[in-house]
Amino acid sequence: MREMEMKGFRTFSREETVEVGRLLGSLLKKGDIVCITGDLGTGKTVFVNGIAQALGISEHITSPTFTIVNEYDSATMLYHFDVYRISDAEEMFEIGFDEYLYGEGIVVIEWAELIKELIPEQNIWITIKKELASGVDARIIEVRLNGEKYREYEERINRK
Protein backbone atom coordinates (compact mmCIF):
# COMPACT_ATOMS: atom_id res chain seq x y z
CA MET A 1 0.00 0.00 0.00
CA ARG A 2 1.22 3.47 -0.86
CA GLU A 3 1.76 5.78 2.08
CA MET A 4 1.80 9.47 1.26
CA GLU A 5 3.45 12.00 3.53
CA MET A 6 2.40 15.60 3.66
CA LYS A 7 4.05 18.44 5.44
CA GLY A 8 2.88 19.13 8.93
CA PHE A 9 0.96 22.18 10.04
CA ARG A 10 1.83 24.36 13.03
CA THR A 11 -1.04 26.21 14.69
CA PHE A 12 -0.92 28.80 17.45
CA SER A 13 -4.59 29.09 18.41
CA ARG A 14 -7.83 27.15 18.62
CA GLU A 15 -9.05 29.01 15.51
CA GLU A 16 -6.00 27.97 13.49
CA THR A 17 -6.46 24.33 14.54
CA VAL A 18 -10.12 24.52 13.48
CA GLU A 19 -8.98 25.98 10.14
CA VAL A 20 -6.67 23.02 9.44
CA GLY A 21 -9.60 20.71 10.27
CA ARG A 22 -11.76 22.71 7.86
CA LEU A 23 -9.14 22.32 5.14
CA LEU A 24 -9.18 18.55 5.53
CA GLY A 25 -12.96 18.45 5.92
CA SER A 26 -13.41 20.26 2.60
CA LEU A 27 -11.79 17.28 0.86
CA LEU A 28 -13.63 14.43 2.59
CA LYS A 29 -16.18 12.20 0.89
CA LYS A 30 -18.49 9.36 1.86
CA GLY A 31 -16.55 6.35 3.08
CA ASP A 32 -13.50 8.28 4.27
CA ILE A 33 -11.88 7.32 7.56
CA VAL A 34 -9.95 9.88 9.61
CA CYS A 35 -7.90 8.63 12.56
CA ILE A 36 -6.73 11.20 15.11
CA THR A 37 -4.11 10.60 17.78
CA GLY A 38 -2.58 12.85 20.40
CA ASP A 39 -2.30 13.27 24.13
CA LEU A 40 -5.07 14.69 26.28
CA GLY A 41 -5.59 18.37 25.59
CA THR A 42 -3.79 18.53 22.26
CA GLY A 43 -6.85 19.63 20.27
CA LYS A 44 -8.29 16.48 18.73
CA THR A 45 -11.90 17.54 19.25
CA VAL A 46 -11.09 21.10 18.20
CA PHE A 47 -9.75 19.66 14.92
CA VAL A 48 -12.97 17.64 14.48
CA ASN A 49 -14.95 20.88 14.87
CA GLY A 50 -13.18 22.16 11.76
CA ILE A 51 -14.03 19.00 9.82
CA ALA A 52 -17.67 19.35 10.86
CA GLN A 53 -17.80 23.01 9.83
CA ALA A 54 -16.48 22.12 6.37
CA LEU A 55 -19.30 19.56 6.08
CA GLY A 56 -21.88 22.22 6.89
CA ILE A 57 -22.55 21.05 10.45
CA SER A 58 -23.29 24.09 12.59
CA GLU A 59 -23.74 22.47 15.99
CA HIS A 60 -20.83 22.47 18.42
CA ILE A 61 -18.91 19.20 18.33
CA THR A 62 -18.19 17.56 21.67
CA SER A 63 -16.11 14.50 22.36
CA PRO A 64 -18.25 11.36 22.69
CA THR A 65 -16.04 10.01 25.48
CA PHE A 66 -18.88 8.31 27.36
CA THR A 67 -21.18 7.50 24.44
CA ILE A 68 -18.35 6.32 22.13
CA VAL A 69 -20.00 7.80 19.02
CA ASN A 70 -21.86 10.99 18.13
CA GLU A 71 -23.70 11.19 14.83
CA TYR A 72 -24.06 14.49 12.98
CA ASP A 73 -26.44 14.91 10.07
CA SER A 74 -25.33 16.79 6.98
CA ALA A 75 -25.25 16.07 3.24
CA THR A 76 -22.80 13.36 4.31
CA MET A 77 -23.22 11.89 7.79
CA LEU A 78 -20.35 12.43 10.20
CA TYR A 79 -19.69 9.68 12.74
CA HIS A 80 -17.39 10.96 15.48
CA PHE A 81 -15.87 8.27 17.70
CA ASP A 82 -13.86 8.66 20.89
CA VAL A 83 -12.45 5.27 21.87
CA TYR A 84 -10.42 6.45 24.88
CA ARG A 85 -12.55 4.40 27.29
CA ILE A 86 -12.60 1.21 25.21
CA SER A 87 -10.90 -1.53 27.21
CA ASP A 88 -11.00 -4.16 24.46
CA ALA A 89 -11.13 -3.48 20.72
CA GLU A 90 -13.78 -6.18 20.39
CA GLU A 91 -16.21 -3.86 22.22
CA MET A 92 -16.35 -1.85 19.01
CA PHE A 93 -18.11 -4.66 17.18
CA GLU A 94 -20.86 -4.65 19.81
CA ILE A 95 -21.85 -1.14 18.69
CA GLY A 96 -21.72 -2.02 14.99
CA PHE A 97 -18.40 -0.30 14.28
CA ASP A 98 -17.88 -2.20 11.03
CA GLU A 99 -21.20 -0.85 9.71
CA TYR A 100 -19.96 2.68 10.31
CA LEU A 101 -16.58 1.95 8.70
CA TYR A 102 -18.08 0.53 5.53
CA GLY A 103 -21.16 2.74 5.39
CA GLU A 104 -22.02 5.91 3.55
CA GLY A 105 -20.72 8.44 6.07
CA ILE A 106 -17.41 9.93 7.10
CA VAL A 107 -15.85 8.29 10.16
CA VAL A 108 -13.57 10.27 12.48
CA ILE A 109 -11.92 8.37 15.34
CA GLU A 110 -10.19 10.03 18.28
CA TRP A 111 -7.62 7.83 20.07
CA ALA A 112 -7.49 5.64 16.95
CA GLU A 113 -4.21 4.04 18.00
CA LEU A 114 -6.17 2.08 20.65
CA ILE A 115 -8.09 0.16 17.96
CA LYS A 116 -5.54 0.31 15.13
CA GLU A 117 -6.04 -3.38 14.28
CA LEU A 118 -9.71 -2.69 13.41
CA ILE A 119 -9.08 0.21 11.04
CA PRO A 120 -8.82 -0.41 7.29
CA GLU A 121 -5.37 0.15 5.75
CA GLN A 122 -6.63 3.02 3.62
CA ASN A 123 -7.14 5.91 6.01
CA ILE A 124 -6.12 9.43 6.88
CA TRP A 125 -3.94 9.43 9.99
CA ILE A 126 -3.65 12.70 11.94
CA THR A 127 -1.18 13.11 14.80
CA ILE A 128 -1.47 16.22 16.95
CA LYS A 129 1.35 17.14 19.32
CA LYS A 130 1.66 20.00 21.76
CA GLU A 131 4.74 22.16 21.36
CA LEU A 132 5.83 24.57 24.07
CA ALA A 133 8.78 26.65 23.00
CA SER A 134 9.78 30.09 24.25
CA GLY A 135 6.46 30.43 26.07
CA VAL A 136 4.46 29.84 22.87
CA ASP A 137 1.75 27.18 23.02
CA ALA A 138 1.57 25.60 19.56
CA ARG A 139 0.21 22.44 17.97
CA ILE A 140 2.02 20.36 15.38
CA ILE A 141 -0.51 18.59 13.15
CA GLU A 142 0.93 15.82 11.00
CA VAL A 143 -1.23 14.33 8.26
CA ARG A 144 -0.51 10.96 6.65
CA LEU A 145 -2.64 9.74 3.78
CA ASN A 146 -2.57 5.95 3.51
CA GLY A 147 -3.67 4.33 0.27
CA GLU A 148 -4.36 5.21 -3.34
CA LYS A 149 -7.87 6.31 -2.39
CA TYR A 150 -6.38 9.51 -0.99
CA ARG A 151 -3.92 10.41 -3.78
CA GLU A 152 -6.09 13.29 -5.02
CA TYR A 153 -6.27 14.72 -1.49
CA GLU A 154 -2.50 14.93 -1.34
CA GLU A 155 -2.40 16.95 -4.54
CA ARG A 156 -5.25 19.24 -3.51
CA ILE A 157 -4.07 19.94 0.03
CA ASN A 158 -0.51 20.65 -1.08
CA ARG A 159 -1.86 23.33 -3.46
CA LYS A 160 -3.46 25.24 -0.59
Side-chain angles (χ1 to χ4, degrees):
M1 178 180 60
R2 183 174 187 275
E3 182 179 285
M4 299 171 263
E5 286 284 347
M6 293 190 328
K7 65 178 191 230
F9 297 88
R10 178 176 276 121
T11 64
F12 298 95
S13 67
R14 174 184 171 78
E15 293 75 22
E16 288 180 2
T17 300
V18 167
E19 188 58 37
V20 176
R22 243 191 321 257
L23 171 64
L24 177 63
S26 71
L27 304 174
L28 297 176
K29 298 183 278 197
K30 290 180 180 181
D32 286 349
I33 299 168
V34 179
C35 304
I36 306 176
T37 65
D39 292 335
L40 286 169
T42 55
K44 295 179 295 296
T45 304
V46 170
F47 187 86
V48 178
N49 267 277
I51 291 172
Q53 288 176 18
L55 297 174
I57 298 167
S58 59
E59 60 190 290
H60 181 69
I61 304 301
T62 58
S63 184
T65 304
F66 296 100
T67 58
I68 301 175
V69 64
N70 286 340
E71 298 182 7
Y72 299 96
D73 198 3
S74 69
T76 301
M77 288 293 294
L78 174 64
Y79 303 111
H80 177 203
F81 286 84
D82 181 328
V83 298
Y84 183 72
R85 297 200 179 279
I86 294 293
S87 58
D88 180 359
E90 292 301 313
E91 288 179 52
M92 296 301 290
F93 290 112
E94 295 172 12
I95 63 166
F97 185 61
D98 52 336
E99 293 173 27
Y100 288 102
L101 284 178
Y102 301 104
E104 292 293 310
I106 295 168
V107 174
V108 176
I109 309 162
E110 291 188 41
W111 299 98
E113 71 276 13
L114 299 177
I115 59 165
K116 193 171 186 173
E117 67 275 13
L118 303 179
I119 298 171
E121 287 183 3
Q122 293 199 73
N123 62 64
I124 300 170
W125 200 270
I126 310 290
T127 303
I128 304 176
K129 298 175 185 170
K130 213 176 208 183
E131 178 185 69
L132 291 171
S134 303
V136 176
D137 186 11
R139 301 295 184 268
I140 305 301
I141 303 170
E142 299 169 353
V143 180
R144 178 174 293 135
L145 302 168
N146 298 305
E148 290 299 320
K149 174 180 181 175
Y150 300 109
R151 178 185 294 273
E152 72 177 87
Y153 294 10
E154 179 182 38
E155 295 164 3
R156 289 174 56 198
I157 207 164
N158 282 330
R159 277 187 262 143
K160 297 198 183 263

